[in-house]
Amino acid sequence: MKKKLIIILSGIALIIVSCSKVLDQNPKGALTQVTLQNKDGAEALVVACYSMLSNLDPQPAWGGGTVGANLWNNASLWESGDLRSDDCYKGGGGTDDVSEYGNIEIGILQPTNAAMQQVWKGHFVSVSRCNKALQLLNSLSDGDFPLRTRRIAEVKVLRGFFYMRLKQIFRTFPYIDETVEVGTEGSISNNLSEAQLWDMIIADFQAGIDIPFDGQDKGRVNKYVANSLLVKAYLFTNNHASALAAANVVLNSGTYHLLSDIEKLYSDPAAEHEGENIFALEANIGGGASNNVKFNWNDIWCAPSNGPYGGGDGFQRPSQNLVNAFKVDANGLPLLDTYNNADIGATDITTPIDPRLDHAIGRPGIKWKDYTNNPQTIGWARSEPTYGPYVKKKNLIYVNSPLRATATTDFPWAGGALNLPFIKISEIMLAKAECLVELNQDLDGARDLINQIRTRAQNTPYVKSFNNPSVNAANYQIGTYPAAGWTQGYARKAYRFEKRLELCLEGQRFFDLLRWGIAKTTIDAYHNVEKIKRSYLAAAAYDSPRVDYYPIPQVEIDISRGVLVQDPNY
Amino acid sequence: MRKLISLITLLLIAVVVNAQQKKISGTVTTKDSKPLQGVTVQNGNTLTVTDAAGAYSIEAKPGDKIAFSFSGMKSIVLAVSSALENTAVKMEEDSQSLDDVVVVGYTTERKKDLKGAVTIVKMGDALKETNANLVTSLQGRVPGLEISTDGAPGSGVSINLRGLGSFNNNTPPLFIIDGVPTYDFNGLSPNDIESLQVLKDAASAAIYGARGSSGVIVITTKKGKSRNAQVSLDAFYGTKTRRRTLDMLNAQQYGDVLWQGFKNDGVTPGDPVYGNGATPVIPAFIDAPNNTTPSANTNWQKEVFQPAANMAVNLGVSKAADKSSFYFGANYNKEEGLAKNTFYDRLTLRMNAAFKVGNRITIGENLSIGYLQGNRENEGRALEAAVIQLPIIPLKDNLGNWAGPFNSLGDFRNPLGDLTRYKDNISKGYRVFGNVYTDIEILPGLVYHGAIAVDITKSGLKFFNGRYVMGRFSSNDNSLSQTENSITNLTATHTLNYSLKKGMHDLNVLAGYEWIHNKSYSINATARSFFLETPDYQYLGAGTPTGNGGGGDEYGLIGQFGKINYGYDNRYLFSASIRRDGSSRFGENNRYGVFPALSAAWRISDERFFAGSKLAASISDLKFRVSWGQNGNDNIRNYNYATFFAPSIDYANYDIFGLNNVTNWTNSSGFAVSSIGNESTKWEAVTQTNIGFDIGLFNNRLYITADYYVKKSSDLLYQAQLPAVVGEGVRPFINVGNIKNSGLEMLISYKGKTKGKLNYNVDLAFTSNNNKVLSVGLDGKDIQYPGQHIIQQGLSISEFYGYINDGIFQNQAEVDNAPAQDGKGIGRLRFRDISGIDGKPDGKIDAADRTSLGSPLAKVSMGLNLNVSYSNFDAGLFFDSKLGNKIWDQSKIATDFLGYTANHGVGLLNAWSPTNTGSSIPALSNNNANFDKQNSSYFISSGSFVRLKSAVIGFSLPKAILDRVKISKLRIFIQAQNIWTITEFNGYNIEPLNASLGSLGVSSLTDYPHSKAITFGLNVGF
């Protein structure tokens, strides 16, 4: 009896399998490269590339943090494309609220600026996803995955897109493609010339010029997206002839057209696939709170504070200079040279202005989209004494849209399913006009394109007075350019001005000024006048060519151990 | 393997032999014939304990040796002769308990035979303090053991032994609780602890192999000892208050400094709340045009913080009989937090029992069940907001809602509002920890020990976030998220131990095998839009589900080990051990590590030549020790070897169909790299040499233990900093760098007695450590953190890093003559040009001018305990001190600078101006053009301190009174903690937790600083 007890109890002590199997542990809830080596795996990696369009801040994947907790990568690139130009101020809770942006605005670009570091990081993660997808796609056969070739082309276009943005922002960077062995990316130096980098980018876009446009999978890139990106890349490299050819492919396709209602274009998710957007961040509100990352985070940064959405951080605030640019003469034409001689008052509704002003920019006293409680008040403008009374209005969803992430004034405020456009047909039309003017080829054709855009603005339903929907909210006037006096020089001013009016606050202005070679003169002139109105700009300066491009982030230089060489201007 | 072990065990069990035994009984008393209760009486593996009358009874046969041991008394060994029957034993007091048996590395040794550096903590002393946390009670008592705590309920703790030798300095020492290894000592009540040893040198810890590099703390819980049931009851109650309140601006002062800042920047002052006038004006309401939130002058610190009550009750019951013993412990501990509505509760129950089956087999168990609950949610942010929320914001608006910021009033939430709103979001968990073991004496001296340990933790949190309005923050919807975590840890240990004593020879051989398997999982789910917000309705099913999540983790470790101890005549002591461990965290080719150790000691005081010398008159004990050994560290993330992809709705999905509202993402789910692996990563190795001596003087009244060590850590496991071009994914741990720690440790204790009834003890624990980075990073030179630290060859680990601040620019000439510096100007901070690309000053301030700004590591730390007892009174003072370290006062960002919208320190009223040039705070400015707030020596301050950590006075009722009520002991005491500190540091938290190398020595407003405390307590024994 006693011995039995002993045996039983001793047995307990040995019951656990003493076996080395316990050392073989595989990751839980995760997949290895091998398990992804098939059609479904390839599709999943391709989707992951697309997702970088909406989420350039891959914080969770870097360990810790929640998406959205760190919003330092704007799909719209407003911090790099608008903030450095004459179009906008930083905004937010004061000059020191996200001082990294404050420094970008006043032209202090330090290599340690964390915001620039995030731009670098986010884009290289995007590139890395593309390369990983390409590596996997290359390892499959067409038999394994019939759509393989098409997906390869899509991913290359996306990679080109991310690299082009890097190129717009940084003068130099290492170029890594799918042929670089995984793990050795850090040994690639930034020794390619700017022209070589552009060649790589253009080659990626060219890979996509045969992707069929079949109306399916609206969020994917197609041949017109590839051609539109080619237009941009050729313009950046001053290759107007090639840009023109690519623009014609898009414009002659008959696939895209200007929408008749600008307000819907700027506010209504239902209108986003109706022909004006060629390529956009495909925002979405499905999936509940944990899927908030799929909406457009730009909307949270840049929505007015205390306004119709409840909160909003009130960044990206239109400059007085930009507002003034909407003034028109008796013929409804812009004051190309004198627009900034006098200001439009914050609540001025009598001076003749282009009707697009009150669609793109919120002014006190003017009706806000579909918001019916009250017209805009001065309180919507965060830090109004510093950043003035204007707020960004375009590309913010209708307040009452069922596709807002919340129907209330709760966080995420203006977050919603409204796509953020990367390329619209209007940009390609203006690009073609630019090519025609610069090639001095068909100036009337250029005028016609510009006038098409102005005519749309003329015919769009205007913003109405809040209290009296039968009258316009302000004195809107807009006309088309006449043939008389349409010289190359005049046409050049006209297309440049039109692009500013039509595409303001969409992350383009600074890059345009730079490639037009007028960044320094334009921005110096802007600072000189604007600092009288916005005193904090007294500290602003434009030190060209140093600040034409961001420096390579110091942390990347440090980690690279001599592989990366800082932009010589820094 | 398993079959073999089973077979051997069965064979061994079969060899159960009986022999002729007789009973020996008697009493044990002190020299003055007072009975001693609880004396361990041991004959081989037979063990008993004396009762209240000092009586014992034990089986023995002629030739046996019966050992009597009792803490604080010199042991006595009695040879059994046939005549021996009833024996009275008188024990003599031993100041240093050298004969105490301590558990070290799967075996026991006499304290006097220790060859390595082991500190034995007398729990009785430690418990005079009213710390509910075990580790807190060790603070300042163990040389080499640096413990930092915070003031949070259920305190946060960081522990470090013998300097930082790893990049994973959040690796705590390995705790061996009743033989069960764990890193988590939560839920262990200090009152249940019988003895505690800290194994500091590699030779002592090497037997724990892979996990011993941060040191090992061996804990043995209480066992039944006495034949009479013993009952002890200990309780205390106290109140904590904040040690330091930061002086912040009031509503008008805030406006004033804001205005001055604008003026200094050349900007026209203006603010949506304070107006656009020449001076700031506090409006009647801060939320124009709604006008429901009146302006206020709130002292947020006063509103958020409270005097916090804390209490504990401990009950211990134990009893022993011939063949069995048990101990039962119950402990309840409740701590309120200094921030309102935060608290921590702990209830632990312990049941230890052992039985003898026959003469050769002991079967026992140790089991504790802990229930923990607390509300610490959101406290970090509330603590910060309590200091820097703007005073113009009231507690509540006129509609009864919590008030919050509007317009230009920043982004901080109402800290009291959140603490109140979340007060019922209590995390709860329980932990079952214990083992079942058997000891079988197979042959005389050969003992098999087998144990299975379970350690199961289940914890969860139900977090409800109701609808609310709080200034510009508000929510018209509510949500509930629920999380459940489960961790199961199984450990199986088998050892065979053979001991032989023959003449002068004393041999002990150990062989063992250990198997550890850890499995965990978590589940979380969220739902929103609950119709009601009552607690009865707060269940996931009642809302609209919005998301589920979950994950799992698994880890395995297998160790084989052996040890030989040999002693000759108590004079020459040797030990050698080796352990081979395999860990699942490394790739197949680097899975195993081997960790050897050697140690030796020479007790010179037992040599004949010494006994004959003059020295012997004053030196009662003198022993030299030397040891060498290696330990490992595998405390990195699981699956470090593997690169893998994970699906994530958060960051890899895309609405590829352009549908705007997709709820089923199946066709547009992406996979992205979530982890980058490295197959060649291997064990971090720590090699340590230790030399030391123990010396007892004046009959061991003065006892000094001193150790000098050199500890080299190599192949340091470090989470690689990879360039962005590598792409995303958690970075792998790789092996880079070597670090050396060397230091001197001393424990000096003196037990004194005056002619009267005054007894006093003085214990000084002295530690000095020198840390040096020998090589680091892929090129051996440095690793920079994005924050304020650098790890650089030749410096100590993780020194502060930034620009040298040379005060403030006083005039335009200084500005003009200074090197180029973005935004420099009068009243701004001036940084020093120390180097350019060629290492020489180059006339501009840029990244090359950053340099080391000092170390957060203390050069010397000390703990001093003074204990006095006189008649029925006792008193104790406990000082601790750190010297030579620097603190980075991160809170200066908030207190010393305008900028981000939040309140600031009153020091700004005295900021630099052309008429106040003596100020150390730079001129007020709302922009950061000069980067005044960038990492520089401006934020550095000395962190040295000397502190009276605790003072206690106790009174024990005289025995005459106690006898009448049949109580053996009744002591009442009052204790004060953190009452007095000398330091230059005037920031918030003098003792930041060393959570990671990137935050070492950084005092920030989210810290939970120490509190002052007054406590009353009671100790009763029956």
Side-chain angles (χ1 to χ4, degrees), chain B residues 181-437:
Chain B
T182 178
Y183 285 115
D184 181 5
F185 49 86
N186 261 321
L188 182 69
S189 164
N191 290 68
D192 287 341
I193 296 174
E194 174 75 43
S195 71
L196 186 148
Q197 285 80 241
V198 183
L199 316 186
K200 300 188 290 191
D201 67 320
S204 305
I207 194 80
Y208 294 104
R211 312 207 291 173
S213 69
S214 300
V216 177
I217 295 179
V218 179
I219 292 169
T220 310
T221 59
K222 287 179 177 164
K223 310 279 181 284
K225 279 185 191 169
S226 164
R227 279 163 184 275
N228 292 339
Q230 287 190 315
V231 180
S232 67
L233 180 71
D234 303 281
F236 67 75
Y237 176 86
T239 328
K240 297 186 287 182
T241 46
R242 283 176 97 213
R243 202 175 67 83
R244 184 153 155 59
T245 298
L246 291 177
D247 294 328
M248 306 304 282
L249 299 170
N250 66 30
Q252 184 61 47
Q253 291 166 335
Y254 174 79
D256 292 341
V257 297
L258 198 65
W259 251 239
Q260 188 59 48
F262 280 124
K263 286 177 192 160
N264 291 354
D265 295 339
V267 171
T268 314
D271 181 90
V273 173
Y274 283 96
N276 298 318
T279 54
V281 175
I282 298 178
F285 293 93
I286 59 171
D287 61 337
N290 295 336
N291 295 348
T292 57
T293 311
S295 59
N297 196 7
T298 310
N299 182 339
W300 287 100
Q301 294 181 84
K302 210 168 147 191
E303 300 296 341
V304 165
F305 296 105
Q306 63 180 0
N310 60 103
M311 58 147 320
V313 184
N314 301 287
L315 174 72
V317 181
S318 67
K319 187 169 170 26
D322 274 355
K323 300 209 168 195
S324 66
S325 72
F326 81 89
Y327 169 82
F328 168 76
N331 164 276
Y332 176 69
N333 173 37
K334 184 174 180 68
E335 285 182 66
E336 280 179 359
L338 294 170
K340 285 178 183 166
N341 294 324
T342 62
F343 73 96
Y344 174 80
D345 273 0
R346 184 186 69 201
L347 174 67
T348 53
L349 299 175
R350 169 168 290 277
M351 179 70 215
N352 292 347
F355 303 92
K356 290 207 80 172
V357 182
N359 288 321
R360 293 173 180 272
I361 297 172
T362 304
I363 291 165
E365 58 80 29
N366 303 293
L367 177 70
S368 81
I369 298 172
Y371 177 77
L372 313 161
Q373 65 170 22
N375 187 339
R376 302 184 56 180
E377 284 311 313
N378 207 41
E379 86 192 3
R381 298 194 55 183
L383 290 173
E384 186 184 21
V387 178
I388 59 179
Q389 180 60 289
L390 294 174
I392 197 170
I393 299 172
L395 273 185
K396 293 204 165 182
D397 67 19
N398 285 348
L399 305 173
N401 301 310
W402 292 108
F406 288 97
N407 296 317
S408 61
L409 299 180
D411 290 329
F412 285 94
R413 298 169 62 88
N414 181 325
L416 186 64
D418 278 347
L419 288 168
T420 310
R421 291 179 54 242
Y422 299 145
K423 78 178 162 57
D424 294 325
N425 294 331
I426 295 165
S427 59
K428 295 171 183 170
Y430 64 86
R431 183 177 188 200
V432 176
F433 184 94
N435 64 352
V436 180
Y437 62 90

Side-chain angles (χ1 to χ4, degrees), chain A residues 257-553:
Chain A
H257 60 87
L258 296 171
L259 291 188
S260 57
D261 186 340
I262 290 180
E263 184 148 309
K264 279 191 176 165
L265 173 69
Y266 288 170
S267 324
D268 189 358
E272 62 202 15
H273 290 294
E274 290 194 344
E276 180 141 352
N277 290 348
I278 297 173
F279 184 37
L281 179 167
E282 209 46 78
N284 192 293
I285 57 165
S290 69
N291 200 40
N292 280 344
V293 293
K294 295 294 157 265
F295 58 70
N296 176 1
W297 282 89
N298 238 30
D299 297 354
I300 294 180
W301 271 110
C302 304
S305 122
N306 303 314
Y309 307 103
D313 293 297
F315 281 83
Q316 196 189 10
R317 298 279 286 286
S319 67
Q320 183 66 51
N321 183 303
L322 175 62
V323 171
N324 291 344
F326 284 87
K327 286 194 294 188
V328 293
D329 63 15
N331 299 318
L333 290 173
L335 308 172
L336 296 179
D337 299 311
T338 58
Y339 72 92
N340 206 33
N341 291 354
D343 290 349
I344 300 183
T347 52
D348 181 345
I349 55 170
T350 53
T351 303
I353 49 164
D354 188 314
R356 285 175 287 187
L357 172 66
D358 288 331
H359 290 296
I361 293 168
R363 298 192 295 150
I366 306 289
K367 186 177 191 298
W368 181 276
K369 303 185 189 238
D370 60 340
Y371 188 61
T372 52
N373 291 17
N374 51 274
Q376 183 173 335
T377 68
I378 196 89
W380 294 14
R382 205 168 168 213
S383 306
E384 184 268 338
T386 310
Y387 292 117
Y390 309 114
V391 298
K392 177 178 165 166
K393 194 173 187 181
K394 69 158 40 170
N395 295 340
L396 286 168
I397 194 167
Y398 277 140
V399 178
N400 299 316
S401 170
L403 292 167
R404 252 181 82 198
T406 166
T408 65
T409 52
D410 192 4
F411 184 85
W413 307 315
L418 183 68
N419 288 0
L420 181 79
F422 294 128
I423 304 179
K424 294 188 285 195
I425 190 66
S426 51
E427 183 184 352
I428 302 302
M429 291 164 74
L430 288 168
K432 181 176 176 181
E434 179 175 352
C435 294
L436 295 177
V437 172
E438 296 307 327
L439 293 167
N440 206 0
Q441 198 171 313
D442 177 8
L443 292 181
D444 284 338
R447 186 166 53 86
D448 180 51
L449 285 161
I450 295 166
N451 280 342
Q452 281 181 40
I453 286 168
R454 296 186 66 78
T455 305
R456 187 266 297 265
Q458 202 170 29
N459 296 335
T460 194
Y462 293 167
V463 176
K464 300 297 179 186
S465 159
F466 184 85
N467 295 317
N468 185 356
S470 62
V471 302
N472 292 338
N475 181 11
Y476 301 127
Q477 304 289 336
I478 184 167
T480 53
Y481 284 103
W486 188 252
T487 61
Q488 190 191 21
Y490 185 79
R492 180 177 292 134
K493 276 189 187 170
Y495 82 69
R496 287 180 177 175
F497 213 91
E498 199 62 30
K499 181 155 189 192
R500 186 177 190 200
L501 296 175
E502 181 67 22
L503 297 167
C504 65
L505 306 177
E506 297 193 34
Q508 307 230 22
R509 174 76 174 162
F510 175 79
F511 304 121
D512 284 339
L513 292 175
L514 195 60
R515 71 186 172 84
W516 291 334
I518 55 171
K520 169 83 178 155
T521 50
T522 309
I523 294 167
D524 279 349
Y526 162 72
H527 285 158
N528 275 336
V529 178
E530 206 76 0
K531 72 182 176 194
I532 300 162
K533 303 161 194 170
R534 307 283 175 249
S535 51
Y536 75 93
L537 284 175
Y542 189 88
D543 177 16
S544 183
R546 188 173 194 244
V547 299
D548 291 352
Y549 293 92
Y550 288 175
I552 295 177

Side-chain angles (χ1 to χ4, degrees), chain B residues 951-973:
Chain B
V952 61
I953 296 175
F955 173 72
S956 301
L957 257 61
K959 200 165 171 347
I961 299 173
L962 292 177
D963 283 350
R964 255 180 265 155
V965 287
K966 304 228 153 103
I967 290 176
S968 62
K969 180 190 179 189
L970 199 160
R971 172 177 176 261
I972 52 173
F973 65 90

Side-chain angles (χ1 to χ4, degrees), chain A residues 2-3 5-7 9-10 12-20 22-33 36 43-45 47-48 50-51 53-55 58 60-63 67 93 95-99 103 106 108 110 112 120-121 124-125 128-129 132 174 176 185-186 217-220 269-270 272-273 280-291 293-294 305-306 310-313 379 382-386 403 408-411 413 417 419 535-536 554 556 558-559 561, chain B residues 1-2 5-6 9-10 13-14 262 266-268 270-272 276 357-358 361 363 407 411 438 440 448 450-452 472 474-477 490-492 494 513 515-517 528 546 552-558 582-584 591-592 639 641-647 649-663 665 667-674 721-731 779 782-784 822 847 850 898-901 926-929 931 933-934:
Chain A
K2 198 186 262 181
K3 280 190 183 172
L5 184 71
I6 294 162
I7 292 166
L9 290 171
S10 310
I12 293 171
L14 295 166
I15 234 161
I16 292 178
V17 187
S18 301
C19 160
S20 64
V22 78
L23 299 184
D24 298 317
Q25 298 295 353
N26 291 318
K28 312 295 177 230
L31 295 167
T32 58
Q33 185 108 36
L36 286 167
E43 287 284 33
L45 291 203
V47 166
Y50 277 100
S51 80
L53 295 173
S54 69
N55 178 27
W62 290 73
V67 173
T95 48
D96 209 42
D97 184 6
V98 191
S99 60
N103 289 327
I106 62 174
I108 295 179
Q110 287 206 327
T112 49
W120 176 280
K121 211 160 154 183
F124 272 109
V125 167
S128 162
R129 280 196 185 177
K132 290 199 166 66
I176 288 129
E185 299 92 339
D217 295 6
K218 290 179 187 133
R220 289 189 194 273
E272 62 202 15
H273 290 294
L281 179 167
E282 209 46 78
N284 192 293
I285 57 165
S290 69
N291 200 40
V293 293
K294 295 294 157 265
S305 122
N306 303 314
D313 293 297
R382 205 168 168 213
S383 306
E384 184 268 338
T386 310
L403 292 167
T408 65
T409 52
D410 192 4
F411 184 85
W413 307 315
N419 288 0
S535 51
Y536 75 93
Q554 188 64 40
E556 296 293 332
D558 290 345
I559 293 173
R561 300 288 172 198
Chain B
M1 190 69 194
R2 167 198 187 185
I5 290 178
S6 310
T9 316
L10 290 177
I13 291 163
F262 280 124
V267 171
T268 314
D271 181 90
N276 298 318
V357 182
I361 297 172
I363 291 165
N407 296 317
D411 290 329
T438 178
I440 303 168
Y448 162 79
I452 304 175
R472 74 187 185 92
S474 66
S475 174
N476 294 349
D477 198 5
L490 297 177
T491 306
H494 308 280
Y513 179 87
W515 179 95
I516 294 169
H517 188 192
R528 45 193 315 134
T546 52
D553 225 340
E554 213 168 340
Y555 163 71
L557 182 122
I558 290 179
S583 165
S584 67
R591 203 167 264 174
Y592 291 92
Y639 331 115
Y641 63 89
T643 294
F644 48 91
F645 292 72
I649 198 161
D650 285 340
Y651 65 91
N653 291 5
Y654 194 66
D655 181 7
I656 209 92
F657 310 110
L659 296 175
N660 285 330
N661 193 350
V662 175
T663 46
W665 288 87
N667 290 321
S668 42
S669 297
F671 285 93
V673 174
S674 62
Q721 281 185 308
L722 299 179
V725 292
V726 170
E728 68 207 302
V730 178
R731 282 14 193 164
D779 65 353
D782 63 30
I783 291 172
Q784 285 177 20
D822 279 330
R850 293 171 299 168
L898 289 180
Y900 196 73
T901 313
N926 281 303
N927 70 40
N928 188 27
F931 303 97
K933 290 185 264 186
Q934 69 184 325

